[in-house]
Amino acid sequence: MTEKLYEGKAKILYTTDDPDILLTHFKDDATAFNAQKRGTIVEKGKMNCQITVALFQWLESKGIPTHLIKQSADDKILVKRVKIIPIEVVVRNIAAGSLCRQTGLEEGSKLPFPLVEFYFKNDELGDPLLTRDRLLILELATEEQLKQLQNLALSINQHLQEFFASCQITLVDFKLEFGLDKQGKVLLADEISPDTCRLWDQTEKDPQKRVMDKDRFRRDLGKVETAYQQVQKRVLEQLGSAKKGL
């Protein structure tokens, strides 16, 4: 017997017969600007679910621990129950979005090194960017956990940059969430998809046409579903080719 445990902007979590396993349902709902803009992206749930499963399995093959157990339906996955660390970890490789607004950096500027930022996962406060000391004062994580989050984020970034480049996609920036299992081990949780990444098509030079992520929805660029479908197609084709080569 499943019961709804939590509903967020993009997913719903349900309990299962096993208290240590949860069911995640990916929704077609789309939100932006802290849910001030709302809409629907047709079959987004299925696409993001499939992309997330593929990328999580690939990251696990590279030694990154995740909460994924298996895909149970087109838009559903079974995951290990974790205590989510209330920190959104953002990794930036190229200047875009809020980084440009807050610093004056020109969009598209390559950063001299990957920038890891910590945001307080709190809708009421608008998910603010926090310093390490503020995170420690709020007791959102320990010093050791923050080091783990930074190291994992940088490792994931390296793997994802290489993978997306093989799909002719540039990984501009992305958001990660992590959780603690019963033993206190840090696991990659949530999702990796066009909802949580900025992805630019390397075969397109036009700054609007190259966008392959939720910025198409945020900025009313159109062809949102087409962009998500293209990411899904390239990711699955590349992973299929990699498996054949083993």
Side-chain angles (χ1 to χ4, degrees):
M1 181 95 179
T2 61
E3 292 182 11
K4 185 191 292 188
L5 188 65
Y6 167 82
E7 181 166 2
K9 301 183 189 81
K11 294 179 292 297
I12 305 174
L13 274 178
Y14 295 95
T15 60
T16 68
D17 293 335
D18 187 331
D20 295 325
I21 296 176
L22 299 178
L23 178 71
T24 301
H25 170 227
F26 289 72
K27 304 194 298 185
D28 291 342
D29 297 354
T31 63
F33 312 116
N34 205 14
Q36 292 177 34
K37 180 177 182 178
R38 295 176 178 271
T40 300
I41 299 174
V42 178
E43 298 210 327
K44 176 175 82 78
K46 292 180 181 179
M47 290 187 282
N48 281 357
C49 181
Q50 201 162 18
I51 293 166
T52 294
V53 169
L55 292 176
F56 271 41
Q57 288 176 340
W58 185 77
L59 285 170
E60 284 189 343
S61 76
K62 302 296 181 181
I64 303 296
T66 82
H67 73 159
L68 176 67
I69 296 174
K70 67 176 183 178
Q71 185 171 357
S72 58
D74 286 347
D75 57 358
K76 295 178 179 67
I77 57 174
L78 290 170
V79 298
K80 300 168 190 170
R81 188 172 196 145
V82 295
K83 180 181 179 183
I84 292 292
I85 300 170
I87 298 171
E88 293 182 350
V89 184
V90 172
V91 186
R92 302 180 186 274
N93 298 305
I94 293 171
S98 62
L99 183 63
C100 295
R101 294 193 299 273
Q102 294 165 0
T103 64
L105 283 169
E106 185 178 351
E107 182 177 84
S109 304
K110 185 174 181 180
L111 304 181
F113 55 84
L115 176 63
V116 179
E117 298 177 328
F118 297 122
Y119 291 79
F120 185 13
K121 190 172 160 61
N122 185 308
D123 286 342
E124 290 182 11
L125 297 177
D127 300 332
L129 172 64
L130 294 184
T131 62
R132 183 176 293 268
D133 285 345
R134 287 189 180 189
L135 289 164
L136 294 173
I137 286 171
L138 291 171
E139 298 182 344
L140 300 180
T142 65
E143 183 75 56
E144 179 58 34
Q145 286 169 347
L146 290 179
K147 287 179 183 175
Q148 283 183 274
L149 296 184
Q150 173 128 0
N151 290 337
L152 279 168
L154 288 171
S155 180
I156 291 167
N157 180 53
Q158 183 179 353
H159 293 310
L160 287 182
Q161 272 192 295
E162 292 171 0
F163 175 78
F164 278 119
S166 70
C167 302
Q168 292 188 293
I169 296 172
T170 297
L171 179 61
V172 177
D173 57 39
F174 60 103
K175 172 182 74 72
L176 298 171
E177 293 189 25
F178 296 89
L180 301 172
D181 67 10
K182 287 198 301 185
Q183 287 74 40
K185 183 179 181 180
V186 177
L187 303 180
L188 176 62
D190 197 44
E191 66 179 293
I192 297 176
S193 73
D195 267 17
T196 62
C197 303
R198 274 197 177 89
L199 304 168
W200 290 352
D201 188 348
Q202 293 178 357
T203 67
E204 279 285 356
K205 292 186 178 179
D206 184 283
Q208 293 192 347
K209 290 181 180 178
R210 70 185 177 189
V211 175
M212 305 178 77
D213 55 74
K214 199 166 73 169
D215 269 352
R216 299 205 72 83
F217 170 76
R218 290 188 189 97
R219 294 157 55 183
D220 296 315
L221 298 178
K223 297 185 177 179
V224 184
E225 288 88 357
T226 302
Y228 277 61
Q229 288 164 6
Q230 189 60 222
V231 173
Q232 179 189 32
K233 180 175 182 288
R234 293 194 198 181
V235 166
L236 297 181
E237 283 183 353
Q238 183 59 32
L239 285 171
S241 298
K243 286 178 181 177
K244 285 179 183 177
L246 291 176

Short mmCIF file of all heavy atoms in Angstrom, two decimals, residues 1 9 30 36 53-54 57 64 161 167 175 185 201 216 237:
data_model
loop_
_atom_site.label_atom_id
_atom_site.label_comp_id
_atom_site.label_asym_id
_atom_site.label_seq_id
_atom_site.Cartn_x
_atom_site.Cartn_y
_atom_site.Cartn_z
N MET A 1 0.86 -1.20 0.00
CA MET A 1 0.00 0.00 0.00
C MET A 1 0.89 1.25 0.00
O MET A 1 1.71 1.43 0.90
CB MET A 1 -0.88 0.00 1.25
CG MET A 1 -1.81 1.19 1.33
SD MET A 1 -3.42 0.80 0.68
CE MET A 1 -4.26 2.34 0.94
N LYS A 9 7.86 20.31 -6.77
CA LYS A 9 7.49 20.96 -8.03
C LYS A 9 7.53 19.99 -9.21
O LYS A 9 6.76 20.10 -10.14
CB LYS A 9 8.43 22.14 -8.31
CG LYS A 9 8.44 23.22 -7.22
CD LYS A 9 9.35 24.37 -7.64
CE LYS A 9 9.56 25.35 -6.49
NZ LYS A 9 10.59 24.87 -5.56
N ALA A 30 5.85 21.93 -15.02
CA ALA A 30 7.06 22.74 -15.15
C ALA A 30 6.89 24.02 -14.35
O ALA A 30 5.83 24.65 -14.38
CB ALA A 30 7.33 23.07 -16.62
N GLN A 36 6.88 30.81 -9.55
CA GLN A 36 6.03 31.95 -9.96
C GLN A 36 5.50 31.74 -11.38
O GLN A 36 4.44 32.25 -11.73
CB GLN A 36 6.83 33.25 -9.88
CG GLN A 36 7.18 33.67 -8.45
CD GLN A 36 8.03 34.92 -8.42
OE1 GLN A 36 7.88 35.80 -9.25
NE2 GLN A 36 8.93 35.00 -7.45
N VAL A 53 17.66 7.91 -14.88
CA VAL A 53 18.07 6.51 -14.67
C VAL A 53 19.35 6.21 -15.43
O VAL A 53 20.29 5.62 -14.89
CB VAL A 53 16.93 5.55 -15.10
CG1 VAL A 53 17.44 4.11 -15.14
CG2 VAL A 53 15.75 5.66 -14.13
N ALA A 54 19.40 6.62 -16.69
CA ALA A 54 20.57 6.35 -17.52
C ALA A 54 21.83 7.01 -16.94
O ALA A 54 22.88 6.38 -16.83
CB ALA A 54 20.33 6.85 -18.94
N GLN A 57 22.86 5.45 -13.46
CA GLN A 57 23.52 4.15 -13.65
C GLN A 57 24.93 4.33 -14.19
O GLN A 57 25.86 3.63 -13.77
CB GLN A 57 22.68 3.27 -14.59
CG GLN A 57 21.39 2.76 -13.96
CD GLN A 57 20.53 1.97 -14.93
OE1 GLN A 57 20.68 2.09 -16.16
NE2 GLN A 57 19.62 1.17 -14.41
N ILE A 64 30.27 6.64 -8.33
CA ILE A 64 29.46 7.62 -7.60
C ILE A 64 28.26 6.91 -6.97
O ILE A 64 27.44 6.32 -7.69
CB ILE A 64 28.95 8.74 -8.54
CG1 ILE A 64 30.11 9.44 -9.26
CG2 ILE A 64 28.10 9.74 -7.76
CD1 ILE A 64 31.06 10.18 -8.37
N GLN A 161 30.67 16.24 -17.71
CA GLN A 161 31.21 17.06 -18.79
C GLN A 161 31.71 16.19 -19.94
O GLN A 161 31.43 16.46 -21.11
CB GLN A 161 32.36 17.93 -18.27
CG GLN A 161 31.93 19.27 -17.70
CD GLN A 161 33.14 20.16 -17.48
OE1 GLN A 161 34.00 19.88 -16.67
NE2 GLN A 161 33.21 21.26 -18.20
N CYS A 167 28.13 13.60 -26.45
CA CYS A 167 26.79 13.74 -27.06
C CYS A 167 26.67 15.06 -27.82
O CYS A 167 25.57 15.44 -28.24
CB CYS A 167 25.71 13.72 -25.97
SG CYS A 167 25.66 12.25 -24.95
N LYS A 175 22.44 21.42 -11.01
CA LYS A 175 22.11 21.37 -9.59
C LYS A 175 22.06 19.91 -9.13
O LYS A 175 21.51 19.06 -9.84
CB LYS A 175 20.75 22.02 -9.34
CG LYS A 175 20.19 21.87 -7.92
CD LYS A 175 18.84 22.50 -7.78
CE LYS A 175 17.73 21.71 -8.43
NZ LYS A 175 17.39 20.46 -7.71
N LYS A 185 25.84 7.39 5.11
CA LYS A 185 26.62 7.55 3.89
C LYS A 185 25.94 8.56 2.97
O LYS A 185 24.72 8.55 2.81
CB LYS A 185 26.77 6.21 3.17
CG LYS A 185 27.62 6.28 1.91
CD LYS A 185 27.76 4.90 1.26
CE LYS A 185 28.62 4.96 0.01
NZ LYS A 185 28.77 3.64 -0.63
N ASP A 201 23.56 22.90 -27.09
CA ASP A 201 23.85 22.08 -28.26
C ASP A 201 25.11 22.59 -28.96
O ASP A 201 25.16 23.74 -29.42
CB ASP A 201 22.65 22.14 -29.22
CG ASP A 201 22.76 21.17 -30.37
OD1 ASP A 201 23.84 20.59 -30.58
OD2 ASP A 201 21.74 20.97 -31.07
N ARG A 216 14.42 27.00 -21.98
CA ARG A 216 13.48 27.21 -23.09
C ARG A 216 12.09 27.54 -22.53
O ARG A 216 11.35 28.33 -23.13
CB ARG A 216 13.40 25.98 -24.01
CG ARG A 216 14.70 25.60 -24.68
CD ARG A 216 14.48 24.83 -25.98
NE ARG A 216 13.96 25.72 -27.02
CZ ARG A 216 14.73 26.50 -27.77
NH1 ARG A 216 16.03 26.50 -27.63
NH2 ARG A 216 14.17 27.28 -28.68
N GLU A 237 21.37 7.09 -26.85
CA GLU A 237 22.17 6.56 -27.97
C GLU A 237 23.64 6.44 -27.57
O GLU A 237 24.30 5.45 -27.90
CB GLU A 237 22.02 7.46 -29.19
CG GLU A 237 20.71 7.28 -29.94
CD GLU A 237 20.62 8.14 -31.18
OE1 GLU A 237 21.53 8.98 -31.40
OE2 GLU A 237 19.63 8.00 -31.94
#
